[in-house]
Amino acid sequence: MEPILQLESARLLMRQWRDEDLPDFAAMCADPQVMRYFPAPLSRLESASMIGRVRGHFAEHGFGLWALERKDTGQFIGFTGLGMVGFDAPFTPAIEIGWRLARQHWGLGYASEAAWTALRCGFDRLVVDEIVSFTADSNLPSQKVMQAIGMHHDPLDDFEHPKLDAGHPLRHHVLYRINREQWLQTLHG
Ligand SMILES: CC(C)(COP(=O)(O)OP(=O)(O)OC[C@H]1O[C@@H](n2cnc3c(N)ncnc32)[C@H](O)[C@@H]1OP(=O)(O)O)[C@@H](O)C(=O)NCCC(=O)NCCS
């Protein structure tokens, strides 16, 4: 299948990463508020290496975390997209949906708008049966996006993140899921 390099929503371009995105991306990932539900903010080198991994995921799978660009200003504001879950858990193998936006672009509906577009891509074009999302149980803003796009949470699915040490305050994760039928119901009521 042709790689899905670009998507578009009402207010956003979801595009491939440019080298020029690095300063804004690194600033976003160095912001302790943006990274408060992750083990630590990222250094510039770690952000650069994440862009490399995202590009590698597109090359391998034909989809990934799209860079978000506001159509009104042309600004890079973060990412939203789909990825193969990179660890073993009771729900893997699975395709996850995820997002991270720079703080000045929160509260404007951009994450949910991009998430709807990525979800549609997953079900319509990649023809997957189910998409999951997960986050630290304390990350309520991210769970609001999951709920906004029609994802469902069953506490029986919650898990301890295998890449975090036992006792780490972010280790307990909630899992949200949505399958094709649920997505169609959300779309058509
Ligand atoms: C998670 C994250 C992307 C959510 O961003 P967000 O801007 O709150 O999410 P949305 O795009 O859904 O915006 C919803 C808010 O915009 C408001 N809004 C304004 N205009 C809107 C519009 N046109 N459409 C929808 N919502 C709109 C909503 O009322 C809502 O506000 P509220 O949170 O005060 O109720 C953001 O908090 C973030 O980047 N966090 C750090 C990274 C992170 O934790 N990522 C997830 C790891 S799993």
mmCIF file of all heavy atoms in Angstrom, residues 4-44:
data_model
loop_
_atom_site.group_PDB
_atom_site.id
_atom_site.type_symbol
_atom_site.label_atom_id
_atom_site.label_comp_id
_atom_site.label_asym_id
_atom_site.label_seq_id
_atom_site.Cartn_x
_atom_site.Cartn_y
_atom_site.Cartn_z
ATOM 1 N N ILE A 4 0.935 6.713 3.672
ATOM 2 C CA ILE A 4 0.013 7.841 3.880
ATOM 3 C C ILE A 4 0.826 8.985 4.484
ATOM 4 O O ILE A 4 1.025 9.071 5.688
ATOM 5 C CB ILE A 4 -1.162 7.412 4.769
ATOM 6 C CG1 ILE A 4 -1.880 6.232 4.105
ATOM 7 C CG2 ILE A 4 -2.131 8.581 4.974
ATOM 8 C CD1 ILE A 4 -2.966 5.603 4.918
ATOM 9 N N LEU A 5 1.323 9.838 3.603
ATOM 10 C CA LEU A 5 2.281 10.859 4.027
ATOM 11 C C LEU A 5 1.585 12.098 4.566
ATOM 12 O O LEU A 5 2.153 12.797 5.393
ATOM 13 C CB LEU A 5 3.185 11.238 2.844
ATOM 14 C CG LEU A 5 3.985 10.070 2.256
ATOM 15 C CD1 LEU A 5 4.815 10.530 1.074
ATOM 16 C CD2 LEU A 5 4.862 9.435 3.323
ATOM 17 N N GLN A 6 0.370 12.352 4.106
ATOM 18 C CA GLN A 6 -0.284 13.601 4.515
ATOM 19 C C GLN A 6 -1.785 13.414 4.670
ATOM 20 O O GLN A 6 -2.417 12.687 3.897
ATOM 21 C CB GLN A 6 -0.004 14.691 3.473
ATOM 22 C CG GLN A 6 -0.482 16.053 3.917
ATOM 23 C CD GLN A 6 0.303 17.186 3.262
ATOM 24 O OE1 GLN A 6 1.529 17.157 3.212
ATOM 25 N NE2 GLN A 6 -0.412 18.176 2.774
ATOM 26 N N LEU A 7 -2.326 14.044 5.682
ATOM 27 C CA LEU A 7 -3.778 14.096 5.901
ATOM 28 C C LEU A 7 -4.135 15.558 6.107
ATOM 29 O O LEU A 7 -3.255 16.393 6.349
ATOM 30 C CB LEU A 7 -4.171 13.293 7.148
ATOM 31 C CG LEU A 7 -3.872 11.791 7.153
ATOM 32 C CD1 LEU A 7 -4.105 11.218 8.544
ATOM 33 C CD2 LEU A 7 -4.739 11.071 6.126
ATOM 34 N N GLU A 8 -5.429 15.830 6.087
ATOM 35 C CA GLU A 8 -5.854 17.206 6.252
ATOM 36 C C GLU A 8 -7.161 17.232 7.040
ATOM 37 O O GLU A 8 -8.025 16.382 6.847
ATOM 38 C CB GLU A 8 -6.084 17.800 4.857
ATOM 39 C CG GLU A 8 -6.202 19.285 4.863
ATOM 40 C CD GLU A 8 -6.331 19.847 3.451
ATOM 41 O OE1 GLU A 8 -5.977 19.142 2.474
ATOM 42 O OE2 GLU A 8 -6.814 20.975 3.327
ATOM 43 N N SER A 9 -7.269 18.166 7.955
ATOM 44 C CA SER A 9 -8.550 18.386 8.644
ATOM 45 C C SER A 9 -8.952 19.831 8.366
ATOM 46 O O SER A 9 -8.265 20.545 7.626
ATOM 47 C CB SER A 9 -8.394 18.127 10.145
ATOM 48 O OG SER A 9 -7.526 19.092 10.709
ATOM 49 N N ALA A 10 -10.036 20.277 8.986
ATOM 50 C CA ALA A 10 -10.532 21.626 8.682
ATOM 51 C C ALA A 10 -9.448 22.679 8.903
ATOM 52 O O ALA A 10 -9.255 23.562 8.071
ATOM 53 C CB ALA A 10 -11.756 21.921 9.548
ATOM 54 N N ARG A 11 -8.742 22.565 10.031
ATOM 55 C CA ARG A 11 -7.810 23.644 10.393
ATOM 56 C C ARG A 11 -6.347 23.238 10.357
ATOM 57 O O ARG A 11 -5.465 24.057 10.652
ATOM 58 C CB ARG A 11 -8.150 24.144 11.805
ATOM 59 C CG ARG A 11 -9.531 24.772 11.929
ATOM 60 C CD ARG A 11 -9.800 25.193 13.369
ATOM 61 N NE ARG A 11 -9.861 24.031 14.252
ATOM 62 C CZ ARG A 11 -9.865 24.094 15.591
ATOM 63 N NH1 ARG A 11 -9.816 25.272 16.187
ATOM 64 N NH2 ARG A 11 -9.917 22.989 16.322
ATOM 65 N N LEU A 12 -6.084 21.955 10.023
ATOM 66 C CA LEU A 12 -4.711 21.439 10.152
ATOM 67 C C LEU A 12 -4.243 20.693 8.917
ATOM 68 O O LEU A 12 -5.022 19.981 8.275
ATOM 69 C CB LEU A 12 -4.645 20.452 11.327
ATOM 70 C CG LEU A 12 -4.944 21.012 12.715
ATOM 71 C CD1 LEU A 12 -5.114 19.862 13.705
ATOM 72 C CD2 LEU A 12 -3.818 21.936 13.175
ATOM 73 N N LEU A 13 -2.952 20.836 8.645
ATOM 74 C CA LEU A 13 -2.268 19.917 7.743
ATOM 75 C C LEU A 13 -1.568 18.909 8.633
ATOM 76 O O LEU A 13 -0.917 19.288 9.614
ATOM 77 C CB LEU A 13 -1.191 20.636 6.943
ATOM 78 C CG LEU A 13 -1.577 21.359 5.677
ATOM 79 C CD1 LEU A 13 -0.304 21.884 5.001
ATOM 80 C CD2 LEU A 13 -2.322 20.419 4.739
ATOM 81 N N MET A 14 -1.691 17.635 8.314
ATOM 82 C CA MET A 14 -0.974 16.578 9.044
ATOM 83 C C MET A 14 0.050 16.038 8.049
ATOM 84 O O MET A 14 -0.293 15.318 7.137
ATOM 85 C CB MET A 14 -1.966 15.525 9.519
ATOM 86 C CG MET A 14 -3.012 16.128 10.460
ATOM 87 S SD MET A 14 -4.384 15.039 10.894
ATOM 88 C CE MET A 14 -3.562 13.767 11.844
ATOM 89 N N ARG A 15 1.292 16.423 8.239
ATOM 90 C CA ARG A 15 2.275 16.254 7.163
ATOM 91 C C ARG A 15 3.526 15.540 7.650
ATOM 92 O O ARG A 15 3.662 15.228 8.837
ATOM 93 C CB ARG A 15 2.619 17.638 6.605
ATOM 94 C CG ARG A 15 3.219 18.580 7.654
ATOM 95 C CD ARG A 15 3.970 19.707 7.011
ATOM 96 N NE ARG A 15 4.388 20.730 7.936
ATOM 97 C CZ ARG A 15 5.412 20.650 8.774
ATOM 98 N NH1 ARG A 15 6.150 19.526 8.856
ATOM 99 N NH2 ARG A 15 5.730 21.662 9.574
ATOM 100 N N GLN A 16 4.436 15.320 6.694
ATOM 101 C CA GLN A 16 5.735 14.748 7.038
ATOM 102 C C GLN A 16 6.582 15.770 7.796
ATOM 103 O O GLN A 16 6.375 16.978 7.676
ATOM 104 C CB GLN A 16 6.457 14.304 5.760
ATOM 105 C CG GLN A 16 5.790 13.094 5.133
ATOM 106 C CD GLN A 16 5.698 11.923 6.102
ATOM 107 O OE1 GLN A 16 6.698 11.308 6.426
ATOM 108 N NE2 GLN A 16 4.499 11.612 6.579
ATOM 109 N N TRP A 17 7.547 15.262 8.541
ATOM 110 C CA TRP A 17 8.414 16.104 9.358
ATOM 111 C C TRP A 17 9.479 16.766 8.498
ATOM 112 O O TRP A 17 10.034 16.143 7.596
ATOM 113 C CB TRP A 17 9.067 15.256 10.438
ATOM 114 C CG TRP A 17 8.069 14.752 11.437
ATOM 115 C CD1 TRP A 17 7.129 13.778 11.224
ATOM 116 C CD2 TRP A 17 7.887 15.206 12.765
ATOM 117 N NE1 TRP A 17 6.364 13.612 12.352
ATOM 118 C CE2 TRP A 17 6.811 14.468 13.313
ATOM 119 C CE3 TRP A 17 8.516 16.167 13.564
ATOM 120 C CZ2 TRP A 17 6.372 14.653 14.627
ATOM 121 C CZ3 TRP A 17 8.074 16.349 14.851
ATOM 122 C CH2 TRP A 17 7.009 15.600 15.378
ATOM 123 N N ARG A 18 9.730 18.045 8.805
ATOM 124 C CA ARG A 18 10.802 18.781 8.131
ATOM 125 C C ARG A 18 11.924 19.014 9.126
ATOM 126 O O ARG A 18 11.658 19.182 10.318
ATOM 127 C CB ARG A 18 10.284 20.140 7.661
ATOM 128 C CG ARG A 18 9.152 20.013 6.684
ATOM 129 C CD ARG A 18 8.761 21.385 6.141
ATOM 130 N NE ARG A 18 7.577 21.231 5.328
ATOM 131 C CZ ARG A 18 6.504 22.002 5.409
ATOM 132 N NH1 ARG A 18 6.479 23.035 6.231
ATOM 133 N NH2 ARG A 18 5.444 21.775 4.642
ATOM 134 N N ASP A 19 13.134 19.130 8.628
ATOM 135 C CA ASP A 19 14.268 19.424 9.522
ATOM 136 C C ASP A 19 13.997 20.711 10.302
ATOM 137 O O ASP A 19 14.373 20.829 11.464
ATOM 138 C CB ASP A 19 15.564 19.560 8.724
ATOM 139 C CG ASP A 19 15.981 18.225 8.104
ATOM 140 O OD1 ASP A 19 15.447 17.178 8.553
ATOM 141 O OD2 ASP A 19 16.809 18.229 7.177
ATOM 142 N N GLU A 20 13.296 21.656 9.679
ATOM 143 C CA GLU A 20 13.013 22.952 10.344
ATOM 144 C C GLU A 20 12.042 22.813 11.514
ATOM 145 O O GLU A 20 11.839 23.778 12.263
ATOM 146 C CB GLU A 20 12.413 23.969 9.348
ATOM 147 C CG GLU A 20 13.193 24.191 8.071
ATOM 148 C CD GLU A 20 12.808 23.192 6.990
ATOM 149 O OE1 GLU A 20 11.838 23.413 6.261
ATOM 150 O OE2 GLU A 20 13.524 22.163 6.894
ATOM 151 N N ASP A 21 11.392 21.651 11.660
ATOM 152 C CA ASP A 21 10.481 21.473 12.798
ATOM 153 C C ASP A 21 11.246 21.265 14.104
ATOM 154 O O ASP A 21 10.673 21.407 15.188
ATOM 155 C CB ASP A 21 9.568 20.247 12.586
ATOM 156 C CG ASP A 21 8.629 20.402 11.400
ATOM 157 O OD1 ASP A 21 8.222 21.549 11.123
ATOM 158 O OD2 ASP A 21 8.323 19.380 10.749
ATOM 159 N N LEU A 22 12.529 20.894 13.990
ATOM 160 C CA LEU A 22 13.260 20.499 15.201
ATOM 161 C C LEU A 22 13.259 21.560 16.314
ATOM 162 O O LEU A 22 12.960 21.206 17.458
ATOM 163 C CB LEU A 22 14.693 20.052 14.868
ATOM 164 C CG LEU A 22 15.528 19.687 16.098
ATOM 165 C CD1 LEU A 22 14.895 18.549 16.896
ATOM 166 C CD2 LEU A 22 16.960 19.324 15.704
ATOM 167 N N PRO A 23 13.542 22.838 16.025
ATOM 168 C CA PRO A 23 13.563 23.787 17.150
ATOM 169 C C PRO A 23 12.234 23.851 17.907
ATOM 170 O O PRO A 23 12.233 23.814 19.142
ATOM 171 C CB PRO A 23 13.885 25.134 16.468
ATOM 172 C CG PRO A 23 14.564 24.766 15.193
ATOM 173 C CD PRO A 23 13.961 23.469 14.755
ATOM 174 N N ASP A 24 11.113 23.914 17.191
ATOM 175 C CA ASP A 24 9.809 23.983 17.864
ATOM 176 C C ASP A 24 9.486 22.664 18.568
ATOM 177 O O ASP A 24 8.920 22.653 19.670
ATOM 178 C CB ASP A 24 8.698 24.309 16.854
ATOM 179 C CG ASP A 24 8.766 25.756 16.385
ATOM 180 O OD1 ASP A 24 9.347 26.585 17.114
ATOM 181 O OD2 ASP A 24 8.270 26.046 15.284
ATOM 182 N N PHE A 25 9.828 21.552 17.908
ATOM 183 C CA PHE A 25 9.557 20.249 18.524
ATOM 184 C C PHE A 25 10.388 20.077 19.796
ATOM 185 O O PHE A 25 9.876 19.650 20.839
ATOM 186 C CB PHE A 25 9.858 19.127 17.523
ATOM 187 C CG PHE A 25 9.589 17.747 18.069
ATOM 188 C CD1 PHE A 25 8.311 17.389 18.479
ATOM 189 C CD2 PHE A 25 10.616 16.815 18.183
ATOM 190 C CE1 PHE A 25 8.054 16.117 18.993
ATOM 191 C CE2 PHE A 25 10.363 15.547 18.696
ATOM 192 C CZ PHE A 25 9.084 15.197 19.094
ATOM 193 N N ALA A 26 11.657 20.455 19.710
ATOM 194 C CA ALA A 26 12.544 20.314 20.883
ATOM 195 C C ALA A 26 12.074 21.226 22.014
ATOM 196 O O ALA A 26 12.094 20.833 23.190
ATOM 197 C CB ALA A 26 13.980 20.627 20.485
ATOM 198 N N ALA A 27 11.619 22.435 21.664
ATOM 199 C CA ALA A 27 11.114 23.342 22.708
ATOM 200 C C ALA A 27 9.887 22.738 23.380
ATOM 201 O O ALA A 27 9.739 22.778 24.610
ATOM 202 C CB ALA A 27 10.788 24.704 22.098
ATOM 203 N N MET A 28 9.003 22.156 22.588
ATOM 204 C CA MET A 28 7.795 21.520 23.138
ATOM 205 C C MET A 28 8.167 20.372 24.078
ATOM 206 O O MET A 28 7.621 20.253 25.180
ATOM 207 C CB MET A 28 6.939 21.001 21.980
ATOM 208 C CG MET A 28 5.768 20.163 22.396
ATOM 209 S SD MET A 28 4.747 19.697 20.980
ATOM 210 C CE MET A 28 5.327 18.056 20.648
ATOM 211 N N CYS A 29 9.117 19.549 23.654
ATOM 212 C CA CYS A 29 9.466 18.359 24.446
ATOM 213 C C CYS A 29 10.388 18.691 25.621
ATOM 214 O O CYS A 29 10.660 17.826 26.465
ATOM 215 C CB CYS A 29 10.118 17.305 23.557
ATOM 216 S SG CYS A 29 9.025 16.686 22.276
ATOM 217 N N ALA A 30 10.867 19.931 25.665
ATOM 218 C CA ALA A 30 11.674 20.368 26.813
ATOM 219 C C ALA A 30 10.798 21.075 27.846
ATOM 220 O O ALA A 30 11.279 21.431 28.927
ATOM 221 C CB ALA A 30 12.780 21.308 26.336
ATOM 222 N N ASP A 31 9.508 21.270 27.522
ATOM 223 C CA ASP A 31 8.589 21.993 28.408
ATOM 224 C C ASP A 31 8.090 21.024 29.493
ATOM 225 O O ASP A 31 7.393 20.038 29.179
ATOM 226 C CB ASP A 31 7.420 22.519 27.564
ATOM 227 C CG ASP A 31 6.382 23.280 28.386
ATOM 228 O OD1 ASP A 31 6.359 23.129 29.627
ATOM 229 O OD2 ASP A 31 5.582 24.009 27.769
ATOM 230 N N PRO A 32 8.425 21.279 30.756
ATOM 231 C CA PRO A 32 8.026 20.342 31.823
ATOM 232 C C PRO A 32 6.513 20.157 31.923
ATOM 233 O O PRO A 32 6.055 19.089 32.325
ATOM 234 C CB PRO A 32 8.571 20.994 33.104
ATOM 235 C CG PRO A 32 9.560 22.004 32.667
ATOM 236 C CD PRO A 32 9.175 22.430 31.283
ATOM 237 N N GLN A 33 5.734 21.183 31.542
ATOM 238 C CA GLN A 33 4.271 21.037 31.591
ATOM 239 C C GLN A 33 3.782 20.053 30.531
ATOM 240 O O GLN A 33 2.907 19.239 30.782
ATOM 241 C CB GLN A 33 3.613 22.401 31.357
ATOM 242 C CG GLN A 33 3.535 23.262 32.574
ATOM 243 C CD GLN A 33 2.623 22.639 33.634
ATOM 244 O OE1 GLN A 33 3.107 22.142 34.660
ATOM 245 N NE2 GLN A 33 1.328 22.625 33.399
ATOM 246 N N VAL A 34 4.348 20.166 29.326
ATOM 247 C CA VAL A 34 3.961 19.247 28.255
ATOM 248 C C VAL A 34 4.346 17.818 28.639
ATOM 249 O O VAL A 34 3.620 16.862 28.347
ATOM 250 C CB VAL A 34 4.648 19.649 26.920
ATOM 251 C CG1 VAL A 34 4.440 18.586 25.850
ATOM 252 C CG2 VAL A 34 4.123 21.007 26.446
ATOM 253 N N MET A 35 5.472 17.679 29.326
ATOM 254 C CA MET A 35 6.028 16.349 29.599
ATOM 255 C C MET A 35 5.717 15.845 31.007
ATOM 256 O O MET A 35 6.337 14.907 31.485
ATOM 257 C CB MET A 35 7.540 16.385 29.365
ATOM 258 C CG MET A 35 7.935 16.760 27.944
ATOM 259 S SD MET A 35 7.213 15.676 26.680
ATOM 260 C CE MET A 35 8.304 14.256 26.830
ATOM 261 N N ARG A 36 4.742 16.471 31.655
ATOM 262 C CA ARG A 36 4.540 16.112 33.065
ATOM 263 C C ARG A 36 4.045 14.684 33.264
ATOM 264 O O ARG A 36 4.179 14.128 34.356
ATOM 265 C CB ARG A 36 3.621 17.109 33.776
ATOM 266 C CG ARG A 36 2.229 17.174 33.234
ATOM 267 C CD ARG A 36 1.480 18.326 33.867
ATOM 268 N NE ARG A 36 1.024 17.993 35.215
ATOM 269 C CZ ARG A 36 -0.118 18.424 35.731
ATOM 270 N NH1 ARG A 36 -0.890 19.216 35.000
ATOM 271 N NH2 ARG A 36 -0.479 18.096 36.932
ATOM 272 N N TYR A 37 3.464 14.070 32.255
ATOM 273 C CA TYR A 37 3.016 12.682 32.391
ATOM 274 C C TYR A 37 3.982 11.705 31.726
ATOM 275 O O TYR A 37 3.628 10.566 31.440
ATOM 276 C CB TYR A 37 1.603 12.526 31.817
ATOM 277 C CG TYR A 37 0.607 13.417 32.530
ATOM 278 C CD1 TYR A 37 0.073 14.542 31.903
ATOM 279 C CD2 TYR A 37 0.242 13.153 33.850
ATOM 280 C CE1 TYR A 37 -0.822 15.370 32.566
ATOM 281 C CE2 TYR A 37 -0.653 13.981 34.519
ATOM 282 C CZ TYR A 37 -1.178 15.090 33.875
ATOM 283 O OH TYR A 37 -2.056 15.911 34.540
ATOM 284 N N PHE A 38 5.195 12.179 31.456
ATOM 285 C CA PHE A 38 6.264 11.327 30.939
ATOM 286 C C PHE A 38 7.393 11.338 31.967
ATOM 287 O O PHE A 38 7.466 12.252 32.800
ATOM 288 C CB PHE A 38 6.771 11.845 29.587
ATOM 289 C CG PHE A 38 5.746 11.742 28.499
ATOM 290 C CD1 PHE A 38 4.834 12.767 28.286
ATOM 291 C CD2 PHE A 38 5.671 10.611 27.698
ATOM 292 C CE1 PHE A 38 3.857 12.666 27.299
ATOM 293 C CE2 PHE A 38 4.706 10.508 26.705
ATOM 294 C CZ PHE A 38 3.804 11.536 26.507
ATOM 295 N N PRO A 39 8.280 10.361 31.896
ATOM 296 C CA PRO A 39 9.326 10.293 32.926
ATOM 297 C C PRO A 39 10.154 11.563 33.026
ATOM 298 O O PRO A 39 10.536 11.971 34.119
ATOM 299 C CB PRO A 39 10.190 9.102 32.478
ATOM 300 C CG PRO A 39 9.277 8.272 31.645
ATOM 301 C CD PRO A 39 8.304 9.210 30.992
ATOM 302 N N ALA A 40 10.435 12.245 31.902
ATOM 303 C CA ALA A 40 11.270 13.453 31.954
ATOM 304 C C ALA A 40 11.108 14.226 30.652
ATOM 305 O O ALA A 40 10.777 13.636 29.614
ATOM 306 C CB ALA A 40 12.735 13.074 32.130
ATOM 307 N N PRO A 41 11.349 15.548 30.693
ATOM 308 C CA PRO A 41 11.428 16.289 29.421
ATOM 309 C C PRO A 41 12.578 15.733 28.572
ATOM 310 O O PRO A 41 13.455 15.040 29.088
ATOM 311 C CB PRO A 41 11.723 17.726 29.874
ATOM 312 C CG PRO A 41 11.389 17.775 31.317
ATOM 313 C CD PRO A 41 11.597 16.406 31.862
ATOM 314 N N LEU A 42 12.553 16.055 27.287
ATOM 315 C CA LEU A 42 13.590 15.544 26.382
ATOM 316 C C LEU A 42 14.641 16.610 26.106
ATOM 317 O O LEU A 42 14.321 17.804 26.003
ATOM 318 C CB LEU A 42 12.970 15.122 25.047
ATOM 319 C CG LEU A 42 11.871 14.056 25.081
ATOM 320 C CD1 LEU A 42 11.502 13.651 23.658
ATOM 321 C CD2 LEU A 42 12.284 12.838 25.886
ATOM 322 N N SER A 43 15.869 16.159 25.964
ATOM 323 C CA SER A 43 16.932 17.047 25.497
ATOM 324 C C SER A 43 16.742 17.269 23.990
ATOM 325 O O SER A 43 15.987 16.544 23.328
ATOM 326 C CB SER A 43 18.303 16.408 25.745
ATOM 327 O OG SER A 43 18.437 15.278 24.906
ATOM 328 N N ARG A 44 17.478 18.243 23.437
ATOM 329 C CA ARG A 44 17.381 18.501 21.996
ATOM 330 C C ARG A 44 17.790 17.259 21.195
ATOM 331 O O ARG A 44 17.163 16.905 20.194
ATOM 332 C CB ARG A 44 18.275 19.689 21.641
ATOM 333 C CG ARG A 44 18.059 20.176 20.224
ATOM 334 C CD ARG A 44 18.946 21.364 19.951
ATOM 335 N NE ARG A 44 18.957 21.688 18.534
ATOM 336 C CZ ARG A 44 18.182 22.617 17.979
ATOM 337 N NH1 ARG A 44 17.359 23.306 18.698
ATOM 338 N NH2 ARG A 44 18.254 22.856 16.685
#
